[in-house]
Amino acid sequence: MTEEKFDAIIVGAGMSGNAAAYTMASHGLKVLQLERGEYPGSKNVQGAILYANMLETIIPDFRDDAPLERHLVEQRFWVMDDTSHTGMHYRSDDFNEPTPNRYTIIRAQFDKWFSRKVRAAGATVLCETTATELALDATGKVIGVRTDREGGIIHADVVVLAEGVNGLLGTRAGFRKVPKPEAVALAVKEMHFLPEEVIAERFGLTGDQGCVIEAAGTISRGMAGLGFLYTNKESISLGIGCLVSDFAATMERPYTLLEDFKDHPSIRPLLAGSEVKEYAAHLIPEGGFKAIPQLFGNGWVVVGDAAQLNNAVHREGSNLAMTSGRIAGEAICAIKSRKRAMTRENLSLYKTMLDESFVVKDLKKYKDIPALLHTNSRNFFMTYPQLLSQAAQNFVRVDGTPKIEKERATTAAFIKARSRWGLVSDAVRLALAWR
Ligand SMILES: Cc1cc2nc3c(=O)[nH]c(=O)nc-3n(C[C@H](O)[C@H](O)[C@H](O)COP(=O)(O)OP(=O)(O)OC[C@H]3O[C@@H](n4cnc5c(N)ncnc54)[C@H](O)[C@@H]3O)c2cc1C
């Protein structure tokens, strides 16, 4: 292994690691990036929606050659019970803008592309290399990493932990705790392949327009969880995820949930005739603001999923990862240019900058939502979706029942299920958490 000393070592070549490596390498820092996978993206799982704005801030001309699938023109939100969905769809021609706002991507291809940019910016990228341990000096300052390759410590002024949700290196060093089961979701996902024109016809799309569906309700069997369906060029990504603590408590199996989701009468026709070629499972950090660990220390910073930076309410993760990686890179470059050491005190600049960004502001806004959904999951993911469906059906079914009686029946169903006090209490708790 190399005897060189680097300005920075980045552990992980996912969204956050690539953003950090690109930022520092393009500012002239001597950067080493380690990735345990065979190639960047080989280990990574995402839906995947790419939020263009955050990538554009890092690579302004990314649209010229990035592997993008479809630009999104339609978003469907579905509340499901066992036989129906009640939906809100938002579709706008505004999204056919010259520089679209959101795209679907396939991470295995996208991460390879991002990594080529990182290398072109001057970073050294070593794949099939697992960082096994952080190397510390006698004062506890991080001075580099050990890997599973032969050789000793690889030295660097600062180590950026971009190792994803499991974050074993940071945990082993005592920098963060293992995330609690109620703060991480386990998601399973399949890729269903269909001809491009079939996808276009089924979802009413032309050219490279895309449509996504986010779904909640009885599909998660009362557990806190969500399903998704995203259109790619020639495939559909379909998945579902629930809190690990809920899986443990209910002994439900993720794969059974996915099978049932696929078989739902609202989903089945959208997948008809498709061929499944890929299956993946991955954790998602969902503890929100209260789960964010210490973000910096003597000789280290942590970014992306490893820092639990994921907005479960808005289903955003990769953009928080890229932004935290970029900001960490910019903070390190600023410290370097002032010729200061990578001490805990100086690296606090990263947190100061991150606090000012949408990343922390958004997570702070929804800080009480994860606990509310966790403790009230049966009401929000089972009872209310069933009631909403009953109410919608009662509203549209014409059967000679006077409307006044229909309205009374709907009100009575809500009160019977949750009581007046239960309804008021849920509404107040939700409003307080959302404020
Ligand atoms: C099913 C699913 C759907 C999702 N959908 C979306 C979506 O549509 N939009 C969105 O914005 N976000 C989505 N997310 C979240 C998003 O995928 C993550 O927020 C994002 O990938 C985090 O990037 P990261 O770089 O922090 O971590 P990762 O992408 O997980 O990358 C970590 C990297 O570190 C490497 N690594 C780990 N340990 C070591 C080690 N010791 N040595 C060397 N390398 C190591 C891993 O191999 C990996 O390449 C989804 C997540 C899942 C699971």
Side-chain angles (χ1 to χ4, degrees):
M1 188 55 81
T2 174
E3 295 294 320
E4 293 174 84
K5 185 179 178 196
F6 293 86
D7 290 324
I9 293 174
I10 294 110
V11 179
M15 290 291 200
S16 61
N18 282 335
Y22 183 86
T23 303
M24 289 187 278
S26 48
H27 279 83
L29 267 59
K30 191 171 167 188
V31 170
L32 173 68
Q33 189 180 32
L34 305 173
E35 168 55 48
R36 66 185 170 156
E38 190 188 336
Y39 56 87
S42 59
K43 298 267 181 196
N44 298 339
V45 181
Q46 193 175 323
I49 300 177
L50 172 79
Y51 303 95
N53 174 279
M54 290 79 200
L55 179 58
E56 209 163 20
T57 311
I58 301 165
I59 305 180
D61 58 357
F62 77 90
R63 292 180 182 84
D64 290 352
D65 54 1
L68 306 169
E69 292 287 307
R70 292 175 180 272
H71 75 272
L72 298 179
V73 295
E74 182 171 337
Q75 171 99 32
R76 304 179 185 176
F77 302 94
W78 285 4
V79 179
M80 304 175 85
D81 75 353
D82 291 348
T83 55
S84 74
H85 71 265
T86 310
M88 184 184 91
H89 296 189
Y90 183 72
R91 184 178 176 118
S92 174
D93 196 41
D94 294 347
F95 291 129
N96 290 314
E97 56 212 325
T99 54
N101 182 253
R102 300 183 305 159
Y103 296 88
T104 47
I105 54 166
I106 294 172
R107 277 293 295 272
Q109 297 167 9
F110 183 85
D111 287 13
K112 268 193 202 165
W113 167 85
F114 206 165
S115 185
R116 281 198 296 276
K117 296 283 175 192
V118 170
R119 284 171 211 253
T124 304
V125 182
L126 281 184
C127 290
E128 295 186 285
T129 309
T130 302
T132 51
E133 203 185 349
L134 288 168
L136 278 65
D137 69 10
T139 66
K141 181 180 187 301
V142 171
I143 52 165
V145 298
R146 290 190 179 82
T147 74
D148 60 351
R149 291 196 181 208
E150 275 183 18
I153 299 169
I154 317 177
H155 289 89
D157 288 338
V158 61
V159 174
V160 178
L161 294 166
E163 48 181 341
V165 56
N166 282 325
L168 292 179
L169 233 53
T171 313
R172 276 186 206 137
F175 296 159
R176 62 164 227 169
K177 296 201 172 84
V178 176
K180 293 185 179 146
E182 60 271 23
V184 272
L186 173 62
V188 286
K189 175 194 152 181
E190 281 181 356
M191 295 281 275
H192 288 250
F193 284 79
L194 282 166
E196 195 172 339
E197 59 280 8
V198 173
I199 294 177
E201 195 191 349
R202 270 183 203 171
F203 292 87
L205 306 167
T206 51
D208 69 348
Q209 292 177 343
C211 167
V212 292
I213 302 173
E214 308 282 3
T218 62
I219 50 168
S220 66
R221 300 192 182 157
M223 298 186 283
L226 292 172
F228 64 87
L229 183 156
Y230 300 161
T231 55
N232 303 313
K233 248 181 214 131
E234 294 181 327
S235 64
I236 289 175
S237 304
L238 182 94
I240 188 162
C242 296
L243 289 180
V244 169
S245 54
D246 285 354
F247 277 127
T250 58
M251 300 302 282
E252 292 281 0
R253 288 163 185 269
Y255 195 64
T256 316
L257 243 57
L258 185 61
E259 284 301 308
D260 290 350
F261 185 40
K262 278 164 22 184
D263 202 33
H264 190 282
S266 298
I267 295 288
R268 203 186 316 128
L270 300 174
L271 303 175
S274 66
E275 189 188 349
V276 183
K277 288 195 189 159
E278 285 170 35
Y279 175 78
H282 208 277
L283 295 174
I284 309 178
E286 298 214 336
F289 182 72
K290 292 180 181 172
I292 300 175
Q294 175 67 25
L295 291 170
F296 62 93
N298 259 334
W300 64 274
V301 294
V302 56
V303 295
D305 275 13
Q308 310 295 298
L309 301 173
N310 198 292
N311 183 341
V313 177
H314 282 264
R315 311 269 292 156
E316 295 174 22
S318 64
N319 52 336
L320 281 69
M322 281 190 278
T323 303
S324 58
R326 171 182 61 79
I327 289 177
E330 287 173 354
I332 290 166
C333 289
I335 297 166
K336 195 91 194 159
S337 71
R338 290 175 209 153
K339 302 200 180 339
R340 300 264 169 83
M342 295 295 160
T343 58
R344 180 188 162 89
E345 192 188 2
N346 291 334
L347 286 166
S348 68
L349 176 64
Y350 161 51
K351 182 171 184 304
T352 306
M353 288 165 71
L354 198 66
D355 284 348
E356 282 305 308
S357 74
F358 79 92
V359 174
V360 171
K361 286 183 179 167
D362 286 358
L363 292 177
K364 211 179 228 175
K365 169 165 167 43
Y366 299 122
K367 66 182 186 312
D368 296 324
I369 295 272
L372 176 69
L373 295 183
H374 172 58
T375 49
N376 257 349
S377 64
R378 202 156 179 91
N379 292 331
F380 289 121
F381 294 92
M382 179 71 87
T383 310
Y384 284 122
Q386 285 170 332
L387 289 168
L388 183 65
S389 171
Q390 278 174 32
Q393 182 158 153
N394 201 14
F395 185 80
V396 296
R397 187 182 282 280
V398 178
D399 57 6
T401 309
K403 304 295 184 237
I404 185 80
E405 283 178 32
K406 279 177 170 269
E407 280 170 22
R408 279 191 196 127
T410 294
T411 310
F414 272 77
I415 291 170
K416 184 168 174 232
R418 285 293 292 137
S419 80
R420 277 178 207 280
W421 169 243
L423 291 170
V424 172
S425 141
D426 286 348
V428 170
R429 291 177 68 186
L430 196 58
L432 285 174
W434 210 273
R435 76 193 182 282

